[in-house]
Amino acid sequence: MGVDIESLSEATSGAIGSLLSTTILYPLDTCKTKYQAEVRAHGQQKYRKLSDVLWEAISNGQVHSLYQGLGTKNLQSFISQFVYFYGYSYFKRLYLKRSGNKSIGTKANLIIAATAGACTAIITQPLDTASSRMQTSAFGKSKGLWKTLTEGTWSDAFDGLGISLLLTSNPAIQYTVFDQLKRRMLKGKQNKAGGTSPQALSAFAAFVLGAVSKSIATVLTYPAIRCKVMIQAADPNENGTEKTQPRSRKTLAGVVCAIWKREGVLGFFKGLHAQILKTVLSSALLLMIKEKIAATTWVLILAIRRYLFLTRGRLKSA
């Protein structure tokens, strides 16, 4: 079976968009993750506001440490978005071809998006876990990717996989909402233009739709997001230089009980504003960049394919 060029183009443009948005917003992501990972103990907490994380880095002369784990995060982000967009685009085209429908309904869209998300979570979970541990390490004490992955057992690299699979509903909700809003917006433009409509959104329209769709998904899934961060976070006593005791296993039940006892119901939503700010900006930038480079990516892939085809033909005739 030949390569699905349209799915490949969607995956490539989505992965590039993810890479750029992750790099631009990474300091905010580090502050958010460290803030979420902390649980109040004995009525005291180190970070009372999100900005406290930033001021700690500045006061300790560790501003560059806001980028600790960036390489791992970019690798995880690029792979996950490539796999997700390819799977989502491919499964959607397959569904439309087999069903004979001209458009895809909301229920089918959710199932397809969740399936693509589950495949992505399983493939990239070790990188996701390593990235969270590197971000939540003390500033300037983060370990490298290989050391982070090999310091525990193989199963430790898949910490939080169950929640990650549950959180496939997050991008499923996001991209379903975005896709439906995009279709309605383009259809509205088509009606106003008398039958012709642009195939791509403007940068501003893509940004707004991305922000709205991600906000809805984030609010609905945030308690699970915070539990996942706490499960994957580095142990507070790890400093990156001394040999530490084997990492204690964190469970979902243990994390839920800790939040409930120390912070109450509102603790499950600690850092929600930071999560929304980061994820909305990230997803909006991702979708905006993807929309603008999709056509260029399509042309580039076709050009490369044509070049390889011509080269293969010349070699056969030689």
Side-chain angles (χ1 to χ4, degrees):
M1 184 173 66
V3 177
D4 187 338
I5 298 299
E6 183 172 341
S7 296
L8 184 61
S9 174
E10 284 284 310
T12 302
S13 59
I16 293 174
S18 176
L19 189 67
L20 293 175
S21 64
T22 297
T23 301
I24 292 171
L25 299 172
Y26 195 74
L28 174 60
D29 187 42
T30 298
C31 292
K32 171 197 70 69
T33 304
K34 289 179 74 69
Y35 181 68
Q36 288 174 322
E38 185 192 27
V39 180
R40 182 186 301 138
H42 306 295
Q44 298 181 346
Q45 57 185 127
K46 185 177 182 181
Y47 306 124
R48 296 185 178 277
K49 297 179 295 184
L50 180 67
S51 58
D52 290 343
V53 184
L54 175 62
W55 291 122
E56 180 190 18
I58 294 175
S59 61
N60 293 333
Q62 295 286 344
V63 177
H64 64 281
S65 292
L66 291 172
Y67 289 91
Q68 60 189 27
L70 175 60
T72 300
K73 191 72 170 182
N74 273 336
L75 178 61
Q76 183 259 337
S77 182
F78 185 89
I79 294 175
S80 65
Q81 291 300 325
F82 184 91
V83 172
Y84 183 85
F85 276 109
Y86 186 88
Y88 179 77
S89 178
Y90 178 78
F91 290 138
K92 185 168 69 171
R93 283 168 54 82
L94 187 64
Y95 171 82
L96 292 175
K97 182 178 180 180
R98 293 192 174 183
S99 65
N101 298 329
K102 293 184 178 180
S103 61
I104 186 170
T106 302
K107 182 183 292 185
N109 210 346
L110 277 171
I111 295 174
I112 291 172
T115 301
C119 294
T120 301
I122 294 172
I123 292 173
T124 62
Q125 187 63 32
L127 290 175
D128 185 41
T129 300
S131 174
S132 293
R133 290 180 187 168
M134 294 166 78
Q135 282 185 306
T136 53
S137 297
F139 284 126
K141 304 296 183 180
S142 177
K143 305 170 185 176
L145 172 59
W146 181 250
K147 188 173 183 179
T148 301
L149 287 176
T150 57
E151 64 181 359
T153 63
W154 177 245
S155 62
D156 288 340
F158 286 87
D159 277 351
L161 177 59
I163 300 181
S164 293
L165 292 175
L166 175 63
L167 287 174
T168 56
S169 60
N170 188 294
I173 295 170
Q174 176 198 353
Y175 292 121
T176 297
V177 173
F178 180 85
D179 206 37
Q180 297 298 322
L181 291 177
K182 174 184 174 182
R183 184 182 300 133
R184 292 187 179 185
M185 180 173 288
L186 292 179
K187 186 176 181 180
K189 289 183 178 181
Q190 182 180 16
N191 294 335
K192 290 182 180 180
T196 59
S197 174
Q199 296 300 311
L201 296 171
S202 66
F204 178 74
F207 186 93
V208 172
L209 293 189
V212 171
S213 61
K214 192 59 179 182
S215 293
I216 295 173
T218 299
V219 172
L220 293 176
T221 60
Y222 187 74
I225 292 174
R226 196 193 172 199
C227 288
K228 176 171 173 282
V229 170
M230 291 181 61
I231 288 175
Q232 294 179 327
D235 289 334
N237 60 339
E238 292 182 359
N239 58 22
T241 58
E242 299 176 1
K243 187 174 181 179
T244 59
Q245 297 296 322
R247 188 174 186 270
S248 57
R249 187 82 176 183
K250 297 178 183 177
T251 64
L252 176 59
V255 168
V256 170
C257 288
I259 295 176
W260 178 266
K261 290 180 179 179
R262 300 177 184 178
E263 299 178 348
V265 176
L266 293 180
F268 290 101
F269 293 91
K270 177 186 176 183
L272 175 61
H273 64 292
Q275 183 74 28
I276 290 179
L277 176 62
K278 184 267 171 182
T279 54
V280 165
L281 289 177
S282 177
S283 296
L285 283 172
L286 185 158
L287 293 170
M288 180 182 70
I289 295 170
K290 174 181 174 293
E291 286 290 323
K292 302 312 293 182
I293 68 175
T296 303
T297 303
W298 172 265
V299 173
L300 182 61
I301 290 177
L302 287 179
I304 293 174
R305 189 187 187 192
R306 179 176 176 79
Y307 172 78
L308 294 176
F309 177 78
L310 293 176
T311 302
R312 185 184 303 173
R314 291 171 184 170
L315 291 175
K316 288 183 177 180
S317 61

